[in-house]
Amino acid sequence: MTVTPMPSLSSLTLTQMKAGLERGEFSSRDLVQAALDAIARLDPSLHAFLQVDGDRALAEAAKADQLPIANYQLHGIPIAVKDVLTVEGMPCTAGSKILEGFIPPYTATSVKKLQEAGAIVIGKTNTDEFAMGSSTENSAYGRTMNPWELSRVPGGSSGGSAAAVVARLVPAALGTDTGGSVRQPASFCGITGLKTTYGRVSRYGLIAFGSSLDTVGVLAQNAEDAALIFSVMAGHDPLDATSADSSVPSIDLTRRPERSGAKSKGDLQGLRVGVPKEYFIEGMQAEVQEKTRQAIEQMKSLGAEIIEVSLPHTEYALPVYYILAPAEASANLARFDGVRYGPRSEADSMWDVFFKTRGEKFGEEATRRIMIGTYALSAGYYDAYYGQAQKARTLIARDFDAAFSNVDVIAAPTTPTTAFVAGAHADDPLAMYLEDVFTLPANLAGIPGISFPVGFDSQGLPIGMQLLGPRFREDVILRAAHAYQQVTDWHICTPKL
Ligand code: GLN
């Protein structure tokens, strides 16, 4: 847990890059070149990226350097994008062989908004196949290493984005969170990860996994940078029928998290923080509990009021999610048949082309989810599994509604353990699913969450804590995380690379 000063421009925060560009200290070309150099030096051992398009990024940077800076929020700043979001003209695989060679003809709205604000997409980051996983080991293109210890996983499924940010290859990267895939890798890599409210950011151009759960989020060095990316990419999109029509507040991080009128830096006066007893359970790593509790104490010393809350249906989240997500996935993945996208396995009949392509190109986990999902949705089982799970989902969402009538945010560990060793769950999908126990409920309820580092375990691996907020209150959790980061240094610690 050493704070290694890395002199490269690529280690600056997004906010620092913005300020430096504005002052003319460096150009966008310098920033893009620094990112490309860092990638060339470090990515061979990390494998955070599936694609890097240096020529395109440098050309865009050269163009940015000709434009007036003041007009654009993210002017000339390099970012990375998880390979489940489309960028026109850049290959998009979703970590799957079934999309090998697919070049999307359009750009995801979330990415497009960042580009319109001046951001430069430098490449696509590694992901578990179709974002199914918690370790990035399910990528058909090989796993990503955790920069803190290469034998460990960076978390998943947005593991490539998390590794790229903590290794300071890019200041921020987009991820997606269907059951924890932004928060969990943020926690395993010691960075800040924002999961947005369902419907807050357009899903147009996001390769669908579980359509009622999928959200686009951001991985960044700190809450301030995450807030900037969030405020640019959020908002209604006519191209996504589930995107919400609510307005996006401009986020003023200097305001007190809940009530207005800032007094001092890091002030949490008046914030009611709920601590759910169901998230501190036997069997979890003791150090994770301990550091989370210490962080909650620190929030208290900043003026927050700590209140015990109960989310009594938490124990159902895991089985509910692992019925609903595969059910939705089985429907969403039906479109990959060797005809519409990607490679095709040749066979004599149309049906055989479908069977062969799907049989050969989907990986083990995607196949497992398709089978579970198809089973749960089949006539005769639908009521017993899918219908039941939907009802339990409602109870989980109501738990949060009830809790948020008394508190402004809920504080809990992000994961039960720190980053595990690669291969540890290779033969045990259930053990892998258990890693998601604390992140899934927020997706089932559609609420936002932010994970940020609160310490290290005895092995030097980062520990993360999450703050969950009511629907559409990203502003509250961002301000609270920012206040914590004003008085702590965990978020500036980087691995020795
Ligand atoms: N780990 C969870 C899963 O495998 C969540 C994945 C995600 O959020 N994309 O389904």
Side-chain angles (χ1 to χ4, degrees):
M1 93 233 46
T2 27
V3 186
T4 326
M6 284 197 256
S8 156
L9 276 185
S10 78
S11 63
L12 298 179
T13 66
L14 199 150
T15 312
Q16 289 166 339
M17 287 186 184
K18 200 169 140 72
L21 281 168
E22 277 163 14
R23 288 194 297 261
E25 285 165 15
F26 40 75
S27 66
S28 169
R29 247 190 101 86
D30 295 336
L31 287 179
V32 168
Q33 192 58 56
L36 292 173
D37 291 347
I39 292 169
R41 188 167 69 86
L42 296 170
D43 209 46
S45 51
L46 296 177
H47 192 44
F49 281 88
L50 292 178
Q51 297 283 333
V52 177
D53 195 338
D55 292 342
R56 174 174 163 156
L58 284 169
E60 285 180 30
K63 243 195 249 164
D65 285 331
Q66 305 300 318
L67 296 170
I69 287 184
N71 301 351
Y72 307 96
Q73 290 235 59
L74 298 169
H75 187 102
I77 293 178
I79 57 158
V81 172
K82 183 181 181 181
D83 203 25
V84 292
L85 290 158
T86 61
V87 180
E88 187 183 339
M90 257 190 201
C92 188
T93 67
S96 180
K97 289 282 180 207
I98 211 162
L99 276 174
E100 197 166 20
F102 169 61
I103 302 191
Y106 63 96
T107 298
T109 300
S110 52
V111 179
K112 198 169 198 166
K113 286 191 167 188
L114 299 182
Q115 288 175 323
E116 283 167 359
I120 295 172
V121 177
I122 207 159
K124 306 293 293 290
T125 53
N126 200 9
T127 166
D128 287 293
E129 183 172 12
F130 290 106
M132 295 168 183
S134 310
S135 67
T136 324
E137 293 169 291
N138 295 337
S139 167
Y141 301 96
R143 75 179 187 94
T144 295
M145 319 314 138
N146 187 317
W148 291 95
E149 200 187 303
L150 301 183
S151 63
R152 307 234 166 205
V153 303
S157 57
S158 314
S161 286
V165 170
V166 77
R168 303 298 189 244
L169 308 181
V170 283
L174 293 191
T176 59
D177 195 314
T178 301
S181 281
V182 164
R183 289 163 290 152
Q184 187 255 18
S187 175
F188 277 15
C189 287
I191 58 169
T192 303
L194 175 71
K195 176 218 177 282
T196 55
T197 304
Y198 180 79
R200 180 61 116 168
V201 177
S202 171
R203 289 185 296 116
Y204 180 74
L206 161 60
I207 296 174
F209 163 13
S211 302
S212 77
L213 302 154
D214 291 343
T215 56
V216 179
V218 54
L219 297 114
Q221 289 187 32
N222 56 43
E224 187 178 19
D225 288 0
L228 182 55
I229 297 273
F230 166 71
S231 60
V232 172
M233 73 176 174
H236 181 248
D237 178 12
L239 296 172
D240 171 4
T242 59
S243 98
D245 223 345
S246 64
S247 66
V248 182
S250 73
I251 296 170
D252 176 2
L253 291 171
T254 59
R255 272 184 55 199
R256 277 188 201 167
E258 190 50 5
R259 290 155 212 184
S260 56
K263 222 169 46 190
S264 62
K265 248 178 155 189
D267 190 352
L268 288 180
Q269 202 66 44
L271 185 78
R272 296 166 303 168
V273 177
V275 181
K277 53 177 185 289
E278 293 82 2
Y279 282 63
F280 295 83
I281 54 176
E282 231 175 272
M284 64 185 289
Q285 193 177 328
E287 293 161 303
V288 173
Q289 261 206 54
E290 197 185 298
K291 296 290 172 188
T292 306
R293 292 209 186 272
Q294 277 173 16
I296 292 169
E297 274 308 304
Q298 185 133 21
M299 294 180 75
K300 189 174 171 189
S301 70
L302 292 172
E305 187 188 344
I306 311 300
I307 299 165
E308 186 170 308
V309 295
S310 174
L311 299 164
H313 298 95
T314 299
E315 62 173 310
Y316 301 116
L318 196 85
V320 164
Y321 174 88
Y322 277 100
I323 296 286
L324 296 182
E328 294 182 16
S330 70
N332 279 323
L333 297 190
R335 63 174 67 102
F336 301 107
D337 54 12
V339 176
R340 297 175 177 88
Y341 317 86
R344 175 180 311 164
S345 306
E346 293 305 334
D348 291 337
S349 73
M350 180 187 77
W351 291 110
D352 285 342
V353 167
F354 293 169
F355 290 140
K356 216 166 156 216
T357 306
R358 289 169 67 82
E360 288 174 0
K361 303 296 182 190
F362 277 133
E364 222 174 76
E365 187 60 29
T367 305
R368 182 179 297 120
R369 306 261 178 136
I370 292 169
M371 291 173 73
I372 295 172
T374 309
Y375 182 84
L377 289 176
S378 53
Y381 294 110
Y382 182 94
D383 288 337
Y385 294 109
Y386 191 78
Q388 262 318 95
Q390 286 289 32
K391 287 181 197 157
R393 178 181 190 171
T394 303
L395 297 176
I396 290 163
R398 282 191 194 146
D399 280 355
F400 282 107
D401 290 343
F404 286 128
S405 64
N406 288 322
V407 297
D408 304 307
V409 300
I410 287 171
T414 309
T415 56
T417 67
T418 53
F420 50 89
V421 174
H425 301 325
D427 304 319
D428 190 354
L430 268 184
M432 187 76 91
Y433 298 168
L434 271 170
E435 294 289 336
D436 305 331
V437 61
F438 297 149
T439 51
L440 303 171
N443 298 78
L444 293 168
I447 60 175
I450 189 167
S451 177
F452 51 95
V454 294
F456 290 87
D457 71 4
S458 55
Q459 304 195 64
L461 297 166
I463 293 172
M465 167 180 130
Q466 59 179 339
L467 290 178
L468 306 175
R471 260 168 242 125
F472 301 108
R473 293 315 302 269
E474 286 88 353
D475 58 331
V476 177
I477 54 174
L478 280 163
R479 282 201 290 263
H482 176 68
Y484 176 82
Q485 291 180 335
Q486 294 300 98
V487 296
T488 52
D489 280 340
W490 306 116
H491 61 289
I492 60 168
C493 298
T494 53
K496 254 201 195 102
L497 284 166

